Amino acid sequence: MSNFAKPENALKRAEELINVGQKQDALQSLHDLITSKRYRAWQKPLERIMFKYVELCVDLRKGRFAKDGLIQYRIICQQVNVSSLEEVIKHFMHLSTEKAEQARTQAQALEEALDVDDLEADKRPEDLMLSYVSGEKGKDRSDREVVTPWFKFLWETYRTVLEILRNNSKLEALYAMTAHRAFQFCKQYKRTTEFRRLCEIIRNHLANLNKYRDQRDRPDLSAPESLQLYLDTRFEQLKIATELELWQEAFRSVEDIHGLMCMVKKTPKASLMVVYYAKLTEIFWISASHLNHAYAWLKLFTLQKSFNKNLSQKDLQLIASSVVLAALSVAPYDQTRAASHLEFENEKERNLRMANLIGFNLEPKLDRGDVLSRSSLLSELVSKGVLSCATQEVKDLYHLLEHEFLPLNLAVKMQPLLAKISKVGGKLSSASSVPEVQLSQYVPALEKLGTLRLLQQVSQVYQTLKIECLSSMIPFYDFSVVEKIYVDAVKHNFIAMKVDHMKGVMLFGNLGLESDGLRDHLTNLAESLNEGRAMMYPPLKGASKLGEILPTLADTVDKEHKRLLARKSIIEKRKEEQERQLLEMEREEESRRLKLQKITEEAEQKRLASEYEQRKNQRILKEIEERELEEAQALLLEARSRKKGKKPLLEGEKVTKQSLMELALSEQLRERQEMEKKLLKLARTMDYLERAKREESAPLIEAAYQQRLVEERVLHERNQQLEVELSQQRHEGDLKEKNRLARMLENKMSFQERVLHRRQSEYDRRTAEREEQISQMIQARKHEREAKRKKIFYVRSEEERLRKLHEEEEAHKREEAERKRKEEAERRAKLDEIAEKQRQRERELEEKERLRKEALLGRPAELPRPAEPRPVEPAVAAPAAAAAAAAPAPGKYVPRFRRGGTEPAAQTPPDLDRRASRPDDRPPPSSDRWRSDERRPPTFGGSKSSWSSSRVPSRGSER
């Protein structure tokens, strides 16, 4: 640890180390100075040292060093100058917050830079590798590496400051400001875990404050300023808890506020109580505690009506409607009626706690059994005029649900009212602490209440009712939801009913005597008869004697009443105007003061900053050479003082700062080694001493152990003998008891026989009933199986019949298709035969025409020679060969029936016949002659005989 004659030297040393980049050494030197017992009196340089100290702690994120330094500085300046500690703490929190914001801004800038680094690539290669290795996104990784450490340090800063200021009466405002900033930190960054820890820390601080009342600087909660600061902190905690939706923590905050008020026994301001009950309404609504929610709304309505002068009629009407609907939303039966004794006691204790929270110092406390109930709440709404302030739809709904008896069309009349109510709501203009009021949130609870009322009234009129009829009467829910509602009502003995799903009806029972059920009907009938009688025979209005005596008294009273009301309204307006003017003046004065204070603070900050910069520059310019010179001189003196027994410095050797520092470091190392050797020797000596002590104490321990064994043996024998005596006494007592009870053995046996006989007869009876039921079930199942078999047989036979019918239709279709195919084949064969005959006739006609032409030209009639076989396809080779074989020799008469052939020429194509009819060795006629023959008109006979004679040559010509 370094020793400095003045604190300024330590500050200079720290700045020199900072300039050479050794911030950790600078922080350690300042820490040694602050924790040293030498500097226990406060002085101005210590404040500058603390500013530099907290700056180094923030830069290096050393929360433990910061906490130790602030604790030591609190001890130094607590009684002398506590404002200096306040300035240091504010500077510390400012630096931590600024660093956290810079880290968050840097992370955002880094993420944006990574996004726009390459416009063509989605991500850089190194980013892809990091994402695949770490499994994190770029933003998450940058937050974890850059933002998270600073946020942790900022959270540690808040905890440190709260711990230091928890029992300091002079810095209560700073404590409250730190708590508020910590709450805002949790709200801004959605830190729910840290918020719970913060609430627990503040709660423990208050508990310790009440536990240790003899502390010197303990805050006095009975003081109005201290109480207001603590209340503001708790109310801010309550607001943040509800905004973060931490409802359990919000309820604990409400309990903290209530406990604080009970501790000091003072009523807070009406504005704070409005926030208190507004948050209570939200908490109870989320927790489905509708009764407590309605009571909280009632207290909120009372506060707003009593203390809020700017409350408009529309806002008052909306709040009153919320109160009435919240009261109607409470279940009309007791939830703990069927509970056990332990549950009932727990619920009673819970109701007592809730009643204490809700009825906090506003009214005289009533009997808790009467306060927390739906009936007392509704009667209180009517008596206090809350119902008269509500909207007309809410009033109609209240009378419909609580006073009307309409079992058939209750839900139908409720539906348009609920539709109108669901559209009402909004933010209250004159009650800033009250959240947004939406009456639509009560519609589901009101629909459930309407369903319960309808079931209750129907159960008083009907004994059975069809399910379809009941479903048509309730348009809100399906019957499954109605069934859940009535099951819960039956469970709590609100109605007596059950459902027969097989018959599709609902069965209603009676909860009490018949006269109790008819009492309401008789009352309603009497009221209706009285109304009808009053309409038929209206009562005569008698003239007032006072009106005869003083005819103008009523007008005078009315005028005086109106004048008083007008005067009261004028006075109220004047008071409101005066209060408004006072508030405006105070607001303007406060704004002017704040503006002037802000200007002064800014000027002071600028002046301090300029002075600080000037001092810093002067210090840097003046002390650089002095620092080097002082260090060299100090090292030289230290080396000269230690040169005894060591190598003396040479006179002609050049002494430098580096050589002197190396010499000093080697000396420190040697001293450290000598100290380690001494410690090792001391440890060896301690080891020898401990071994010697244990060797001496071993026989003593053994002797004590043997003596302990002897004492325990004697004690065991004594206990054993005592146990034997007690056992003998118990045995004798048991024998006497047995002899005494032996007289009742016969009675016991007879009673046992009677019980066994009765139970045997009951068992036989139930066995017979069971066997009869089993036989009936067997017969029923047998009949069922028989019917099932018949049904299966009928289904299978029908399927078989349909299958056979389908097969027959398929066979008939196939036969019809085969028949059509055969007919088509026969028709085609006939057509082919007719075509072949036609071709044969055409060939004969061509042959005759050829012969006729040859006869006309004067050539001998030569019969065509068989043509030489040509290479033909295998399919037509056989018919061509048969035609060649059947051809007659030339110059020989061939009968006509021979020329036609015995076999039809249907197998030979017409082209082959034509080629075969003309011999290939005969030269074709010349083209000129062929043309002349074509131009010559043929001469045919008119009859068949002439046609044949012209075509067939005579015998003479053949010869």
Side-chain angles (χ1 to χ4, degrees):
M1 187 175 98
S2 301
N3 295 322
F4 298 96
K6 295 181 179 180
E8 293 86 349
N9 297 335
L11 184 59
K12 293 177 182 179
R13 177 64 177 170
E15 289 178 350
E16 292 168 1
L17 293 173
I18 291 171
N19 291 332
V20 297
Q22 298 180 3
K23 293 185 177 181
Q24 182 65 38
D25 296 337
L27 177 63
Q28 186 64 43
S29 64
L30 293 179
H31 182 266
D32 295 339
L33 175 70
I34 294 169
T35 56
S36 176
K37 295 182 179 179
R38 183 176 179 180
Y39 306 100
R40 289 298 184 183
W42 183 86
Q43 46 187 328
K44 188 63 176 178
L46 286 178
E47 184 176 354
R48 297 199 301 270
I49 291 173
M50 282 303 300
F51 276 102
K52 179 61 69 176
Y53 180 77
V54 295
E55 289 176 6
L56 290 173
C57 290
V58 172
D59 290 337
L60 299 176
R61 292 203 296 267
K62 297 292 183 180
R64 173 60 65 182
F65 279 80
K67 185 174 182 180
D68 294 342
L70 289 174
I71 290 174
Q72 293 296 327
Y73 192 65
R74 181 188 64 180
I75 296 172
I76 294 172
C77 65
Q78 177 69 33
Q79 304 300 329
V80 181
N81 189 4
V82 73
S83 61
S84 177
L85 176 62
E86 181 178 1
E87 294 297 328
V88 171
I89 290 176
K90 287 182 179 180
H91 186 62
F92 179 43
M93 288 195 297
H94 174 71
L95 291 176
S96 301
T97 307
E98 186 177 2
K99 287 290 184 181
E101 291 294 329
Q102 288 178 1
R104 190 164 66 95
T105 307
Q106 181 182 359
Q108 293 177 357
L110 179 62
E111 186 66 20
E112 293 174 0
L114 290 176
D115 290 339
V116 300
D117 192 13
D118 190 359
L119 295 177
E120 296 182 359
D122 293 335
K123 289 185 178 180
R124 298 184 304 176
E126 54 268 28
D127 293 337
L128 290 174
M129 292 176 65
L130 283 174
S131 63
Y132 288 130
V133 172
S134 62
E136 297 177 337
K137 296 182 178 179
K139 185 177 186 303
D140 297 336
R141 185 165 58 251
S142 62
D143 289 345
R144 182 172 57 83
E145 295 174 356
V146 180
V147 182
T148 304
W150 283 110
F151 277 7
K152 288 182 178 179
F153 182 76
L154 180 58
W155 170 247
E156 189 177 359
T157 300
Y158 289 138
R159 292 194 59 175
T160 301
V161 174
L162 291 174
E163 187 68 22
I164 291 172
L165 303 176
R166 60 188 176 89
N167 54 359
N168 197 325
S169 60
K170 298 179 181 179
L171 296 177
E172 291 177 346
L174 183 59
Y175 179 86
M177 184 194 74
T178 306
H180 283 239
R181 293 180 66 174
F183 288 143
Q184 292 299 324
F185 168 80
C186 297
K187 174 187 173 182
Q188 183 178 0
Y189 302 107
K190 306 295 182 184
R191 308 304 303 175
T192 56
T193 305
E194 285 76 12
F195 180 78
R196 293 191 185 95
R197 291 174 183 169
L198 180 61
C199 296
E200 194 65 29
I201 289 170
I202 296 176
R203 198 172 291 118
N204 291 334
H205 289 174
L206 183 60
N208 293 331
L209 197 65
N210 295 324
K211 185 176 180 181
Y212 305 103
R213 296 179 179 271
D214 54 350
Q215 294 178 352
R216 182 174 58 180
D217 296 324
R218 174 184 175 274
D220 186 12
L221 294 180
S222 60
E225 295 81 7
S226 301
L227 177 61
Q228 188 63 33
L229 288 173
Y230 275 85
L231 278 176
D232 291 340
T233 303
R234 266 62 183 181
F235 276 100
E236 183 68 18
Q237 173 182 333
L238 177 60
K239 291 179 182 178
I240 301 300
T242 53
E243 290 177 3
L244 293 177
E245 296 183 356
L246 300 174
W247 303 111
Q248 187 175 5
E249 198 62 41
F251 183 75
R252 296 185 67 183
S253 302
V254 168
E255 289 183 332
D256 292 342
I257 296 171
H258 181 261
L260 190 62
M261 293 298 100
C262 292
M263 187 186 306
V264 298
K265 297 181 180 180
K266 288 185 179 180
T267 305
K269 296 180 181 179
S271 59
L272 294 180
M273 293 308 300
V274 168
V275 178
Y276 177 84
Y277 285 116
K279 299 304 179 183
L280 266 182
T281 56
E282 295 183 35
I283 294 170
F284 286 140
W285 182 256
I286 293 296
S287 62
S289 182
H290 293 173
L291 182 60
N292 298 325
H293 172 76
Y295 270 102
W297 260 118
L298 178 59
K299 296 296 182 182
L300 184 60
F301 172 81
T302 306
L303 274 175
Q304 290 287 343
K305 188 177 180 181
S306 301
F307 298 98
N308 194 348
K309 301 298 182 180
N310 299 325
L311 189 66
S312 62
Q313 185 64 28
K314 182 179 179 182
D315 295 342
L316 182 65
Q317 193 178 36
L318 188 58
I319 296 175
S321 302
S322 300
V323 176
V324 176
L325 293 181
L328 290 176
S329 301
V330 182
Y333 47 81
D334 189 9
Q335 299 285 347
T336 61
R337 186 170 181 177
S340 62
H341 178 72
L342 181 60
E343 294 175 350
F344 182 79
E345 291 296 325
N346 293 335
E347 186 67 18
K348 185 178 179 181
E349 183 180 357
R350 179 177 176 274
N351 288 337
L352 184 60
R353 286 176 58 198
M354 297 301 105
N356 289 330
L357 290 177
I358 296 169
F360 174 69
N361 283 346
L362 287 181
E363 290 182 351
K365 295 183 179 179
L366 304 175
D367 186 11
R368 297 306 178 194
D370 297 331
V371 171
L372 295 181
S373 64
R374 186 176 186 272
S375 57
S376 61
L377 177 60
L378 292 176
S379 61
E380 192 173 1
L381 294 182
V382 176
S383 61
K384 289 187 176 182
V386 180
L387 184 62
S388 61
C389 297
T391 60
Q392 187 62 37
E393 293 82 7
V394 174
K395 294 178 184 178
D396 296 340
L397 185 64
Y398 171 80
H399 289 290
L400 187 64
L401 290 174
E402 298 298 324
H403 299 292
E404 296 291 336
F405 186 82
L406 302 170
L408 297 179
N409 54 358
L410 177 64
V412 177
K413 289 189 175 182
M414 279 182 60
Q415 197 168 10
L417 296 177
L418 293 179
K420 293 180 181 178
I421 289 172
S422 62
K423 299 177 182 179
V424 180
K427 183 72 176 178
L428 300 183
S429 59
S430 57
S432 59
S433 300
V434 179
E436 184 177 3
V437 177
Q438 293 292 341
L439 302 184
S440 58
Q441 63 178 350
Y442 301 106
V443 171
L446 294 173
E447 291 176 351
K448 182 178 179 181
L449 176 64
T451 304
L452 288 172
R453 288 299 186 197
L454 190 143
L455 292 174
Q456 183 186 22
Q457 295 178 7
V458 167
S459 65
Q460 295 176 7
V461 178
Y462 299 95
Q463 290 184 351
T464 60
L465 187 66
K466 288 185 178 181
I467 293 177
E468 295 84 0
C469 182
L470 184 64
S471 300
S472 63
M473 291 163 57
I474 303 176
F476 309 131
Y477 305 115
D478 296 330
F479 184 73
S480 58
V481 182
V482 177
E483 194 171 8
K484 293 179 182 178
I485 294 173
Y486 91 77
V487 165
D488 189 66
V490 170
K491 177 182 176 183
H492 295 94
N493 294 331
F494 181 67
I495 53 176
M497 59 183 297
K498 59 183 179 179
V499 177
D500 191 348
H501 286 283
M502 295 182 64
K503 297 180 181 179
V505 297
M506 301 184 71
L507 307 175
F508 299 96
N510 293 324
L511 291 174
L513 298 176
E514 186 175 0
S515 59
D516 294 333
L518 293 176
R519 182 172 55 193
D520 295 337
H521 297 291
L522 295 176
T523 303
N524 295 332
L525 179 61
E527 292 177 355
S528 302
L529 290 175
N530 287 330
E531 291 178 359
R533 181 176 176 276
M535 293 174 64
M536 294 173 62
Y537 305 104
L540 298 176
K541 296 182 180 180
S544 176
K545 296 181 179 180
L546 185 61
E548 295 177 357
I549 298 171
L550 300 173
T552 60
L553 179 61
D555 296 337
T556 306
V557 170
D558 290 339
K559 290 180 181 179
E560 186 67 21
H561 180 64
K562 291 179 181 179
R563 188 181 64 80
L564 292 175
L565 289 178
R567 183 173 178 272
K568 182 179 179 181
S569 62
I570 292 171
I571 293 172
E572 290 291 335
K573 288 181 180 180
R574 289 178 180 176
K575 288 182 178 180
E576 291 176 359
E577 183 67 22
Q578 186 177 3
E579 290 176 358
R580 187 182 62 79
Q581 291 178 359
L582 290 175
L583 289 175
E584 289 292 335
M585 291 173 63
E586 291 178 359
R587 193 179 297 111
E588 292 177 359
E589 185 67 25
E590 183 69 19
S591 62
R592 285 196 298 270
R593 187 183 63 80
L594 291 176
K595 188 181 295 183
L596 182 60
Q597 182 181 358
K598 185 177 180 181
I599 294 171
T600 307
E601 289 178 354
E602 290 178 354
E604 185 67 19
Q605 289 178 359
K606 290 180 181 179
R607 186 183 63 80
L608 292 175
S610 62
E611 291 180 357
Y612 177 74
E613 290 294 333
Q614 291 176 3
R615 288 194 301 270
K616 184 177 179 181
N617 294 331
Q618 291 175 3
R619 186 169 58 251
I620 292 173
L621 293 174
K622 290 180 180 180
E623 296 179 358
I624 290 177
E625 297 86 1
E626 295 178 2
R627 191 181 306 123
E628 298 287 340
L629 182 59
E630 289 176 359
E631 290 179 359
Q633 290 176 357
L635 290 173
L636 182 59
L637 291 174
E638 186 178 0
R640 288 179 178 177
S641 64
R642 294 180 180 179
K643 70 181 180 178
K644 183 178 180 181
K646 304 179 183 62
K647 181 180 178 180
L649 294 173
L650 299 177
E651 294 296 335
E653 185 179 358
K654 184 179 180 180
V655 180
T656 61
K657 177 184 175 183
Q658 187 67 24
S659 61
L660 292 176
M661 289 179 67
E662 291 177 358
L663 183 61
L665 290 175
S666 62
E667 184 67 22
Q668 291 178 3
L669 181 61
R670 188 185 63 78
E671 291 177 357
R672 189 180 297 110
Q673 290 176 356
E674 290 178 357
M675 183 61 68
E676 289 178 356
K677 290 179 181 179
K678 290 180 181 179
L679 291 175
L680 184 60
K681 185 177 179 181
L682 181 61
R684 191 178 294 110
T685 305
M686 294 289 290
D687 191 12
Y688 291 157
L689 291 175
E690 184 66 24
R691 187 183 297 111
K693 285 194 297 183
R694 294 193 180 186
E695 288 176 357
E696 292 295 330
S697 63
L700 298 177
I701 293 173
E702 182 65 26
Y705 175 69
Q706 295 298 331
Q707 184 179 359
R708 178 78 177 275
L709 286 178
V710 173
E711 292 176 356
E712 288 184 354
R713 187 179 294 109
V714 173
L715 181 62
H716 174 69
E717 291 177 355
R718 188 184 301 116
N719 292 337
Q720 190 72 17
Q721 184 65 27
L722 182 62
E723 184 66 25
V724 170
E725 293 176 359
L726 291 175
S727 178
Q728 290 177 356
Q729 292 177 3
R730 285 196 297 269
H731 180 67
E732 292 175 359
D734 292 342
L735 288 177
K736 291 179 181 180
E737 186 69 16
K738 180 180 178 182
N739 294 330
R740 188 178 68 84
L741 296 176
R743 297 176 301 169
M744 294 184 288
L745 183 61
E746 295 180 358
N747 296 331
K748 176 252 183 184
M749 296 300 295
S750 62
F751 177 74
Q752 182 178 355
E753 289 178 358
R754 288 198 305 271
V755 172
L756 291 175
H757 179 69
R758 186 173 68 252
R759 291 182 178 178
Q760 183 66 30
S761 60
E762 181 69 18
Y763 172 74
D764 295 340
R765 182 180 63 79
R766 292 189 178 184
T767 304
E769 292 178 356
R770 178 63 179 171
E771 290 178 354
E772 183 178 357
Q773 291 179 358
I774 291 172
S775 62
Q776 292 177 359
M777 292 171 63
I778 290 172
Q779 291 296 330
R781 291 180 180 177
K782 187 182 294 182
H783 291 314
E784 184 179 354
R785 286 197 300 271
E786 187 66 25
K788 189 174 182 181
R789 288 196 200 101
K790 290 181 179 180
K791 185 176 181 180
I792 292 172
F793 174 75
Y794 173 74
V795 171
R796 288 180 178 176
S797 60
E798 185 67 20
E799 290 178 353
E800 185 67 21
R801 185 182 66 79
L802 294 175
R803 186 180 60 79
K804 289 182 179 181
L805 182 62
H806 182 68
E807 289 179 354
E808 290 176 358
E809 290 179 355
E810 291 292 332
H812 180 69
K813 289 180 180 179
R814 286 195 299 271
E815 291 176 358
E816 185 67 23
E818 185 67 22
R819 183 181 61 79
K820 289 182 179 180
R821 187 180 59 78
K822 289 181 179 180
E823 290 179 355
E824 183 68 20
E826 291 177 358
R827 187 178 64 81
R828 288 182 179 178
K830 289 181 180 180
L831 292 176
D832 292 341
E833 183 178 357
I834 293 171
E836 183 61 27
K837 289 181 179 181
Q838 183 67 26
R839 285 194 295 271
Q840 184 67 26
R841 285 197 297 269
E842 289 178 357
R843 283 196 296 272
E844 290 178 356
L845 291 176
E846 288 177 357
E847 183 64 23
K848 289 180 180 181
E849 179 65 23
R850 186 182 62 80
L851 294 175
R852 188 186 65 80
K853 288 181 179 180
E854 290 179 355
L856 291 175
L857 294 173
R859 294 181 180 179
E862 295 180 357
L863 294 175
R865 293 180 296 176
E868 296 181 359
R870 296 182 180 180
V872 295
E873 297 179 357
V876 298
K892 187 178 179 179
Y893 173 74
V894 180
R896 186 174 181 178
F897 66 93
R898 293 282 185 182
R899 291 197 300 268
T902 59
E903 295 293 330
Q907 301 297 328
T908 58
D911 298 339
L912 295 178
D913 293 340
R914 293 193 191 97
R915 286 195 297 267
S917 63
R918 192 185 65 213
D920 292 337
D921 53 351
R922 188 182 62 187
S926 61
S927 58
D928 297 337
R929 188 172 178 177
W930 181 255
R931 291 189 186 96
S932 63
D933 292 341
E934 286 182 350
R935 286 191 299 267
R936 185 182 301 164
T939 57
F940 302 112
S943 62
K944 184 178 180 181
S945 58
S946 61
W947 168 264
S948 58
S949 60
S950 61
R951 296 294 300 272
V952 181
S954 62
R955 292 179 183 265
S957 60
E958 289 180 357
R959 287 191 298 268

